[in-house]
Amino acid sequence: MLAIVFDASQLGVSKIQNMPFYSKLGSIPHKRHTVFKKEDGGHHYEQLFGTEGFSGMSSLIYHVNRPTQVKAAGEVIDVSPKIADGKNLKSRLLKGFNVPATDDYLTSRIPVLVNNDCHISLAAPKKSLREYFYKNVDADEVLFIHKGTGTLRTMLGNLSFSYGDYLVIPRGIIYQIDFDTEDNRLFIVESFDPVYTPKRYRNHFGQLLEHSPFCERDLRTPEELETYDEEGDFLIKIKKEGVLHHFTYATHPFNVAGWDGYNFPYAFSIHDFEPITGRVHMPPPIHQTFETKSFVICSFVPRLYDYHPEAIPAPYHHSNIDSDEVLYYVDGDFMSRNDIEQGHITLHPAGIPHGPHPGAMERSIGQKETAELAVMVDTFRPLKVTQQALDIENPDYFKSWMPH
């Protein structure tokens, strides 16, 4: 739901609240809702791609062919997460890299922690998504690229990606993905509320402020617009209310000649997040990268430790009273945890305190910097564990704070 001006010479900001960044790509008419002819004398077809009725973020899209030509409605598959029976209030550790690699992009996505606000999934797709197109109309998707490089191809243009990139894909975007190799690992958050940059980092016009850990120039917008004037049978798999619907369209979904507006996919690299530091340990909100009304996403990146002469760099013990805390470990030393590896996920649920593992606090004293890299999701409502998550769980993790 964020937009950036796609113009190499200037960056435009409007006076609309929330995410007031305008972008455009391709050919568009001078005025909206007016005749826009093709070179052969035919007409382009305008589509408002909008949210919250007519009051939210939107883009105007100009199609070569009408985007409504459905030839067939096919298979309907229930893909809703299967919740585990256990309701144990305990800390959990999931070994994310134990999720097997799978050829198909959609079937590779394994939900592990879910609630009514978001679904957190892991994926290890081996093949590019080329045989069909995908559209999630339930949720904005945030794809974190842990392993792999390639191109996100969408109806509004393409984004190249690599290790450490967040790909933010607003709901309703039709897309495919090209992977350069078969060794890919993704951490995926589906949000049933719009995904924004943190409000406290923006002024009342919406511009990111000087104390923000990133700014507009760090956000990458679609660069290459693929426009196909093709007829045939084009399969789009559409996810709605936990069901995957198969529709066959008569024209290529990437038939957009141009668009402009505020609603489109973008990319942001965790390596461009500039950490905020202090004399003593700073709380997790300084790492916040994205927000919704029901959860936040934070980025933990290499940074200097606290510089008070008696500072304890390790996080203090704290109680999760109002939120469940999920940490996805990407790379580095993970100073506050013992026996943590790449791809591990920890869940520290509301209701019980947690903190550094035995010995971690003592080890941190006197240390000057950390090389840790991790993604955190804090939800304001409890998360449920799926059946698939139990297959990759370390069942004894909740006892790991006992002294050896």
Side-chain angles (χ1 to χ4, degrees):
M1 301 287 181
L2 176 145
I4 306 297
V5 173
F6 186 79
D7 185 335
S9 63
Q10 59 182 338
L11 182 68
V13 182
S14 79
K15 297 183 179 181
I16 303 174
Q17 293 291 340
N18 290 331
M19 306 300 287
F21 305 106
Y22 171 81
S23 183
K24 61 183 176 181
L25 189 61
S27 300
I28 58 176
H30 176 64
K31 295 285 288 184
R32 59 184 177 181
H33 317 322
T34 60
V35 171
F36 181 30
K37 287 194 173 183
K38 305 176 187 176
E39 291 183 1
D40 64 5
H43 293 85
H44 290 94
Y45 299 92
E46 186 182 59
Q47 176 194 2
L48 177 66
F49 183 68
T51 60
E52 300 177 357
F54 290 86
S55 60
M57 295 297 158
S58 66
S59 291
L60 278 172
I61 303 172
Y62 296 88
H63 293 269
V64 174
N65 301 296
R66 294 189 306 276
T68 50
Q69 300 180 61
V70 178
K71 296 178 71 173
E75 192 174 9
V76 176
I77 301 174
D78 182 3
V79 294
S80 56
K82 302 302 184 287
I83 306 302
D85 291 334
K87 295 183 179 179
N88 294 330
L89 178 62
K90 66 178 185 179
S91 297
R92 297 178 184 269
L93 184 147
L94 310 178
K95 299 179 179 181
F97 279 12
N98 285 5
V99 167
T102 306
D103 284 347
D104 181 70
Y105 169 72
L106 285 187
T107 57
S108 76
R109 293 164 57 133
I110 305 299
V112 291
L113 299 168
V114 302
N115 63 18
N116 290 333
D117 303 315
C118 67
H119 289 177
I120 298 173
S121 301
L122 298 168
K126 295 168 63 177
K127 304 295 184 184
S128 296
L129 171 54
R130 279 284 193 164
E131 300 300 317
Y132 57 88
F133 300 83
Y134 177 58
K135 176 166 67 172
N136 188 340
V137 297
D138 280 336
D140 290 12
E141 295 188 352
V142 180
L143 277 55
F144 179 79
I145 309 300
H146 192 166
K147 283 189 175 184
T149 60
T151 302
L152 174 69
R153 302 171 59 240
T154 86
M155 65 188 194
L156 299 185
N158 299 341
L159 287 162
S160 60
F161 62 81
S162 59
Y163 165 60
D165 276 340
Y166 292 102
L167 300 176
V168 182
I169 309 172
R171 69 202 63 199
I173 291 287
I174 301 172
Y175 72 86
Q176 295 181 321
I177 291 187
D178 288 348
F179 295 107
D180 295 331
T181 70
E182 293 190 354
D183 186 17
N184 306 292
R185 292 279 173 179
L186 312 179
F187 176 75
I188 301 172
V189 182
E190 296 177 70
S191 174
F192 301 110
D193 295 309
V195 173
Y196 299 125
T197 53
K199 185 176 181 180
R200 70 176 180 279
Y201 292 147
R202 294 184 264 118
N203 63 23
H204 65 283
F205 295 104
Q207 183 179 11
L208 289 165
L209 294 163
E210 287 297 300
H211 70 281
S212 171
F214 55 93
C215 71
E216 288 82 0
R217 69 178 63 177
D218 297 317
L219 306 170
R220 311 194 315 269
T221 60
E223 295 180 348
E224 178 188 3
L225 185 62
E226 297 185 49
T227 305
Y228 297 93
D229 185 1
E230 295 181 13
E231 296 182 354
D233 295 325
F234 299 93
L235 175 62
I236 303 180
K237 296 185 180 183
I238 302 174
K239 184 179 179 182
K240 183 174 182 180
E241 295 187 327
V243 174
L244 199 62
H245 303 264
H246 292 60
F247 282 87
T248 302
Y249 278 77
T251 58
H252 198 292
F254 296 169
N255 65 5
V256 175
W259 60 271
D260 76 332
Y262 296 72
N263 189 17
F264 58 86
Y266 66 97
F268 171 67
S269 173
I270 195 172
H271 305 298
D272 285 329
F273 188 92
E274 299 301 330
I276 298 171
T277 59
R279 292 189 75 221
V280 295
H281 189 80
M282 304 289 282
I286 65 165
H287 305 286
Q288 189 176 340
T289 312
F290 305 106
E291 73 177 14
T292 76
K293 69 180 183 181
S294 51
F295 69 91
V296 300
I297 298 176
C298 299
S299 300
F300 289 82
V301 302
R303 63 194 183 278
L304 295 179
Y305 274 144
D306 324 309
Y307 51 90
H308 187 284
E310 297 183 3
I312 299 176
Y316 37 77
H317 295 83
H318 53 284
S319 292
N320 285 11
I321 297 173
D322 297 316
S323 64
D324 282 9
E325 177 191 284
V326 176
L327 262 173
Y328 178 74
Y329 298 90
V330 180
D331 205 349
D333 56 9
F334 313 131
M335 169 268 296
S336 64
R337 292 283 176 270
N338 300 331
D339 303 320
I340 291 292
E341 300 176 6
Q342 286 187 336
H344 281 185
I345 297 177
T346 56
L347 168 65
H348 301 129
I352 53 177
H354 72 282
H357 270 144
M361 182 193 77
E362 292 81 359
R363 290 195 305 268
S364 75
I365 297 173
Q367 298 297 314
K368 301 301 182 184
E369 61 184 356
T370 176
E372 70 181 356
L373 200 64
V375 177
M376 185 172 77
V377 181
D378 271 8
T379 65
F380 306 141
R381 287 196 281 188
L383 288 161
K384 298 177 181 178
V385 180
T386 67
Q387 291 286 354
Q388 296 100 317
L390 297 184
D391 295 336
I392 59 173
E393 183 184 17
N394 173 357
D396 294 325
Y397 175 72
F398 73 99
K399 296 186 288 186
S400 61
W401 284 266
M402 293 298 296
H404 296 298

